[in-house]
Amino acid sequence: MASVSIVKQRLTIKCDTQEQMASLLGIIGTMKVDEGDPTLGRCRASVQNLQRIKRVVRGVKLSNDAPTKFAIQNMMAERDEIACSSRELLAAVKNEFPVVPYKFKVKPYKHQIFAFNAMHAGKNIAIFGDCGVGKTAIAAWFIESLYKLKELCARDNVLVICPINIITHAWMEDVEKFTGLKVVSLYEPSSYKRKEKIAARFKQKADIYITSFSQLRLREKELRNKKFKLIVVDESSKIKNARSRVFRSLLQVSWKAEWKFIMSGTPAPNGAIDLWSQFFFLDGGLTLEPSIVDFRNAHYMSWQMGGRIPIWSPKTGSAARVGKIIASRSITMRAKDCLDLPKRSRIARRVEQTAEERRIYEEMAQNLVVELDTGEMSTARIALSKIMKLREITGGFIMDDDGQPHQIGESSKMQALDGLVESIMESGEHKALIWIQYRWEADTALKMLKKKYGAAVFYGGLSQKVKDNSIKAFRTDPKARILICHPASIAHGITLNEAQYTIYYSLSHDYEHYYQSSRRNYRAGQDKPVFEYHLVTPATIDESLLICLQGKHNFEEEMTSRAINVRDLLGIR
């Protein structure tokens, strides 16, 4: 008779036949077969794995030993906790008024009250909201309400973790605007006496401490000693890599936290696997299994190309299945449902390559190597490098094997950009954001547009002071009409509604960067129609990247649509 026992988080299964064990190996990622007995196996103990075993091995019996009984009781209690939390969350968010006595400093929108109530109903939940729906205000109000309700007191510590560029421009400004809380930033951009400044800030008393993901890793010991009672991770997709040092540091820092929340507009830019670490931070694996290996094995299938590292692809219907699982721990807010935003028009501008650009592009695509007019060679040694080279060429340049950029002729796309910007600027006192992927593109566009339109750049490698000055000038100086940006540097949190026009000069496969960048000037407060241009070279990687980004968008939409949706609460059909 097949039997199951559990000892120290390990589940041991004795099957009747080897065929049963083979079936379990195919559906349980952590399952390992005993070398001496092919019908004996061990895997990570979880409710999900126990259910899989019961489906495969009919009539399997649970051991009567004390450790197994205790483990089963804990599993059932955890499952009941999730079910109870789901019911409480649903009941709370249906209320159009705050579920606790709290006076808002600034009148909230209806969807913000729903999310505020959700945070009070569930101590560990995910807030998935589009950029500009007011997630930082919701979190700030919630934190202040806990202080006023005496659930947090002066000796308790609250930590917010977010990208560097939104510490000041989003969190510190919003907390001051929407609440009366005192905030201290644990991030110091200046290298002058940085260690002493940060040490002094750790000693300051504050209602909220704010730090960056990089500081989380570097200051893990000091942050852990603070014993934070509440932790908010903003733009939580930054912890999507379960093997990263940042994620491991977060687990160490959050070990004493009673309240944990994640917030993101793009929680799963690369698929469902991105959600595992985020929800593990929230509840230690109650929602999406204790093991990422089991989670991946349940929702992905692997295949190999050339006998190398396996490639994992989502199984059919995995987005809907995962969406149903996380529904009990998440609430979704879409800008189109929550905000009265103006119309946004997306326009693709076809840019035909010159004969020289087409020759170089086709030669690189076919041979992975091309000889430049200067005699230098440019080589793509692997497929990923080939994709980068093709992106370079459509941008109007190419890097040689020594890392030096070479412009290809007159660069048809750069000329198209110049013409498009000129037509926009001549039509009125407009401002525009230009999104680029490479330093050469940014420097060339800056040289071309700075004198005429006061263009500035914002990308990695610039000092924080230069970046802040660029944003300030773009917001306040009517002569600063162009901001040239890299999505990785400015894609999160910052509002740039001064720009009515967005131009994508080049793209990458990163959906999170694309989505976040597109929301910089299409968020709460925008009162003018927005025009978004894509400069696309036909029959090239430009078109492939657009198709890839659309596919990722569709997958994420399906996955988060099953969470408690503000659209339904607002009665929108």
Side-chain angles (χ1 to χ4, degrees), residues 401-533:
D401 291 346
D402 294 325
Q404 297 300 313
H406 296 263
Q407 181 169 323
I408 304 173
E410 297 298 323
S411 180
S412 57
K413 187 177 279 191
M414 196 60 68
Q415 288 184 338
L417 175 66
D418 189 22
L420 177 58
V421 170
E422 184 178 2
S423 65
I424 290 171
M425 297 301 151
E426 288 181 351
S427 65
E429 295 297 319
H430 302 304
K431 294 194 175 190
L433 299 173
I434 300 174
W435 297 99
I436 50 82
Q437 294 295 324
Y438 295 100
R439 180 71 62 85
W440 179 90
E441 296 171 344
D443 292 342
T444 305
L446 178 65
K447 183 178 179 181
M448 182 174 66
L449 303 171
K450 185 175 183 179
K451 186 175 181 180
K452 290 189 289 185
Y453 309 116
V457 291
F458 195 115
Y459 53 63
L462 299 175
S463 69
Q464 192 61 42
K465 184 177 180 180
V466 171
K467 292 178 180 179
D468 289 343
N469 288 340
S470 295
I471 291 177
K472 183 178 180 180
F474 187 75
R475 285 174 169 172
T476 60
D477 186 354
K479 294 181 180 179
R481 303 175 67 186
I482 300 287
L483 189 60
I484 304 164
C485 321
H486 190 287
S489 301
I490 196 175
H492 294 90
I494 296 176
T495 299
L496 297 170
N497 282 341
E498 294 77 13
Q500 192 177 348
Y501 290 83
T502 299
I503 302 171
Y504 283 93
Y505 183 86
S506 53
L507 295 169
S508 77
H509 67 281
D510 194 312
Y511 172 69
E512 180 183 6
H513 286 168
Y514 175 69
Y515 168 80
Q516 293 282 354
S517 62
S518 74
R519 305 296 302 196
R520 291 313 94 214
N521 62 333
Y522 194 63
R523 51 202 293 124
Q526 180 60 271
D527 56 2
K528 302 182 186 70
V530 172
F531 299 89
E532 185 177 292
Y533 288 89

Side-chain angles (χ1 to χ4, degrees), residues 315-366:
K315 294 179 180 178
T316 302
S318 63
R321 288 193 298 272
V322 174
K324 185 176 181 180
I325 294 170
I326 66 173
S328 63
R329 282 276 200 256
S330 55
I331 180 169
T332 299
M333 298 179 290
R334 297 298 180 205
K336 63 184 179 181
D337 303 326
C338 304
L339 305 174
D340 185 17
L341 291 174
K343 181 181 178 181
R344 176 167 61 173
S345 302
R346 287 190 166 101
I347 305 138
R349 278 284 185 96
R350 293 168 62 90
V351 180
E352 298 293 342
Q353 291 179 313
T354 64
E356 182 181 7
E357 287 173 329
R358 175 55 63 179
R359 177 190 67 79
I360 292 176
Y361 186 91
E362 293 179 350
E363 192 173 337
M364 176 60 73
Q366 295 173 7

Side-chain angles (χ1 to χ4, degrees), residues 128-130 264-268 275 319-320 322-324 326-327 330-334 553-565:
F128 297 146
D130 282 344
S264 180
T266 51
L275 291 172
V322 174
K324 185 176 181 180
I326 66 173
S330 55
I331 180 169
T332 299
M333 298 179 290
R334 297 298 180 205
H553 168 77
N554 294 342
F555 189 91
E556 187 170 72
E557 282 282 309
E558 182 179 3
M559 192 159 44
T560 57
S561 63
R562 291 176 177 265
I564 298 173
N565 201 315

Side-chain angles (χ1 to χ4, degrees), residues 274-286:
D274 291 347
L275 291 172
W276 184 87
S277 55
Q278 298 174 62
F279 279 85
F280 189 88
F281 158 70
L282 288 181
D283 55 29
L286 292 182

Side-chain angles (χ1 to χ4, degrees), residues 115-130:
F116 176 84
N117 290 341
M119 295 180 82
H120 275 283
K123 288 189 173 183
N124 309 296
I125 67 168
I127 306 293
F128 297 146
D130 282 344

